[in-house]
């Protein structure tokens, strides 16, 4: 029997990923209620802090994607209030949410990650777009993958086959963020590895292979049923699967993450994984990857979420007086 009497699931927010977050929140709330937990689902608006002060939850499950949900901001507020929550602390979130910074951290511990260039919008315009883009192509070669340095759900991301496609890809990227990450494209099998820590250290769940119908795992492919084929576990050799698991756990640890994360990577023709990015608030929708991994591992999603909340509730949550 759980000692959780009041759990709060945060979903929605004002990021571009609001609709996905709402779906994640509904799913987490449903599976928790199925385990007998009293769940309240709330958006992040002006009523949130007064509501938590009036009726303090035992723990919070953050299913906010993008923006304040993953950059540490909402978690900082929870810490100010002394409310425990599932997931990484604010400092770790800030590092993981910024893709170029996360790539630098994992590279420093020996993980492979595609060579890349980080380009703020101002630099792109001030130095002359055509000259800068030509140098990027000369340096990284083709094809390329362009995505916002911060954010998720593949919003603003583009696969670039030719130099002529790069300007439009940059414009599309800047519509969702002020900084672009341009990576050398690695051809291979796209794989996602979820990591959970239920008290005995971070453990990788079985890898999930992603095969989008149109060849690119974009927003529509991620959240429209039938647009992507998934293989859980991924169709990898035992050696490649083990390498993917090791990479995900190493990234989780190096970035100082906690409780749960999801690492996205590419496995090349030689069976070697390449780190792409990590997510501190993995999607929990019907087409999301973490729930698939949980199922193929023979675990119950509701029990997993409940256990994460119970662990969070038992952590020290006394606010730092200097921050009040």
């Amino acid at each position: 029997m759980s000692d959780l009497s009041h759990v709060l699931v945060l979903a929605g927010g004002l990021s571009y990923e609001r609709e996905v977050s709402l779906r994640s929140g509904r799913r987490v709330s449903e599976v928790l209620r199925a385990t007998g937990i009293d769940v309240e689902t709330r958006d992040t608006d002006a009523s949130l802090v007064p509501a938590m002060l009036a009726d303090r939850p035992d723990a919070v499950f953050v299913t906010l994607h993008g923006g304040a949900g993953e950059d540490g901001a909402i978690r900082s507020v929870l810490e100010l209030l002394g409310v425990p929550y599932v997931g990484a602390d604010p400092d770790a979130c800030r590092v993981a949410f910024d893709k170029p910074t996360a790539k630098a951290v994992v590279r420093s511990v020996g993980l492979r990650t595609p060579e890349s260039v980080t380009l703020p919008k101002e630099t792109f315009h001030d130095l002359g777009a055509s000259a800068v883009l030509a140098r990027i192509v000369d340096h990284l070669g083709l094809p390329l993958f362009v995505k916002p340095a911060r954010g998720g759900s593949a919003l603003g991301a583009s696969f670039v086959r030719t130099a002529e496609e790069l300007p439009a890809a940059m414009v599309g990227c800047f519509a969702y963020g002020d900084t672009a990450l341009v990576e050398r494209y690695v051809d291979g099998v796209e794989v996602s590895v979820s990591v959970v820590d239920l008290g005995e250290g971070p453990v990788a769940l079985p890898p999930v292979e992603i095969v989008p119908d149109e060849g690119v795992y974009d927003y529509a492919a991620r959240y429209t049923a039938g647009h992507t084929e998934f293989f859980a576990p991924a169709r990898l050799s035992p050696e490649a699967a083990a390498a993917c698991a090791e990479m995900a756990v190493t990234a989780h640890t190096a970035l100082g993450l906690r409780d749960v994360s999801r690492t996205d990577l590419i496995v090349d023709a030689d069976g070697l994984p390449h780190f792409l990015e990590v997510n501190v608030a993995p999607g929990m929708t019907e087409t999301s990857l973490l729930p698939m991994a949980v199922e193929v591992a023979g675990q119950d999603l509701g029990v997993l979420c409940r256990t994460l909340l119970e662990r969070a509730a038992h952590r020290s949550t006394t606010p730092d007086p200097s921050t009040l």
Side-chain angles (χ1 to χ4, degrees), residues 189-193 207-210 234 236 244 263-267:
V189 178
E190 191 162 358
V191 172
S192 175
V193 182
V208 177
E209 180 181 348
I210 304 155
L236 300 172
C244 289
T263 293
D264 299 331
L265 47 87
I266 294 284
V267 181

Side-chain angles (χ1 to χ4, degrees), residues 132-197:
V132 172
L133 295 185
R135 299 289 75 76
I136 289 176
V137 172
D138 288 344
H139 180 67
L140 296 179
L142 291 165
L144 298 167
F145 201 82
V146 178
K147 55 189 175 183
R150 309 175 93 215
S153 292
L155 291 166
S158 300
F159 176 52
V160 175
R161 298 170 181 82
T162 68
E164 291 72 25
E165 294 176 346
L166 186 53
M170 298 296 289
V171 171
C173 177
F174 288 137
Y176 289 93
D178 292 332
T179 302
L181 175 65
V182 185
E183 287 184 317
R184 177 178 290 150
Y185 180 75
V186 177
D187 189 27
V189 178
E190 191 162 358
V191 172
S192 175
V193 182
S194 299
V195 173
V196 296
D197 185 348

